[in-house]
Amino acid sequence: MAIEIERKFLVRGDAWRGAAERSEAMAQGYLNQVDGLAGGDLASVRVRLEGPRAALNIKSCEAGRSRQEFEYPVPVEDARALLALCTGGRVEKQRHYVPHGGHLWELDEFEGLNAGLLVAEIELSALDEAFERPDWLGPEVTDYQRYYNIALSQRPFSAWSEAEQRGLGEGEDAR
């Protein structure tokens, strides 16, 4: 069984851009609804086109830093057909890979209805693993489900209130 340990952060400024090793276009959608995060479903099922590759991904529906994750390559044409079956909207983004402090950060620069949102993710090998915080790293949003891609597919960034877009939603502070 594969366990993903991931933390999400907002990003400040563009200082990271010069350090990006590469970037890749992604399009993804979900075969189940976001309400699964609230206890209805036990897993989310995602299909993703990632550059010249495609994958089917299944993640346990748990908020927080750790969850089960399974990913399987699928033919690109199958992925395109599956995207047409997805609920909600499609999430489109450019993923930028930025090395920093011995880790590879993935910065998702969202497009379309999620344009304006920039989220950095880091995958860790343990819940308590230490990591160096780059200067461009903003507040942590790991525990806020609205930043999960499945939530963005059904309630995009463009539908958020101004306070939510500034990262000041329910339960958050100004940091």
Side-chain angles (χ1 to χ4, degrees), residues 45-112:
V45 182
R46 175 188 77 205
V47 61
R48 175 187 281 167
L49 290 171
E50 185 173 345
R53 298 171 308 284
L56 190 63
N57 176 283
I58 303 163
K59 282 189 188 183
S60 58
C61 284
E62 303 161 270
R65 298 178 181 182
S66 175
R67 60 194 150 270
Q68 296 175 62
E69 179 181 38
F70 307 89
E71 188 160 286
Y72 306 97
V74 296
V76 170
E77 288 307 313
D78 289 0
R80 287 191 179 115
L82 287 169
L83 277 172
L85 300 175
C86 289
T87 64
R90 189 183 289 191
V91 174
E92 296 178 343
K93 58 190 175 182
Q94 288 290 321
R95 174 163 286 172
H96 307 281
Y97 297 90
V98 181
H100 182 84
H103 287 92
L104 184 63
W105 290 84
E106 297 174 346
L107 278 71
D108 287 342
E109 188 171 18
F110 291 88
E111 300 170 343

Side-chain angles (χ1 to χ4, degrees), residues 96-133:
H96 307 281
Y97 297 90
V98 181
H100 182 84
H103 287 92
L104 184 63
W105 290 84
E106 297 174 346
L107 278 71
D108 287 342
E109 188 171 18
F110 291 88
E111 300 170 343
L113 293 174
N114 288 299
L117 181 60
L118 183 60
V119 175
E121 299 177 351
I122 184 172
E123 289 199 16
L124 303 169
S125 56
L127 285 171
D128 60 353
E129 181 180 347
F131 59 92
E132 185 180 316
R133 293 176 64 100

Side-chain angles (χ1 to χ4, degrees), residues 7-25:
R7 293 179 62 183
K8 293 178 178 275
F9 299 83
L10 296 180
V11 177
R12 295 181 227 200
D14 287 331
W16 59 271
R17 288 191 188 275
E21 286 184 334
R22 64 186 172 90
S23 300
E24 193 162 54

Side-chain angles (χ1 to χ4, degrees), residues 27-56:
Q28 64 190 48
Y30 292 84
L31 296 168
N32 58 335
Q33 297 286 328
V34 70
D35 59 8
L37 293 172
D41 291 336
L42 297 178
S44 68
V45 182
R46 175 188 77 205
V47 61
R48 175 187 281 167
L49 290 171
E50 185 173 345
R53 298 171 308 284
L56 190 63

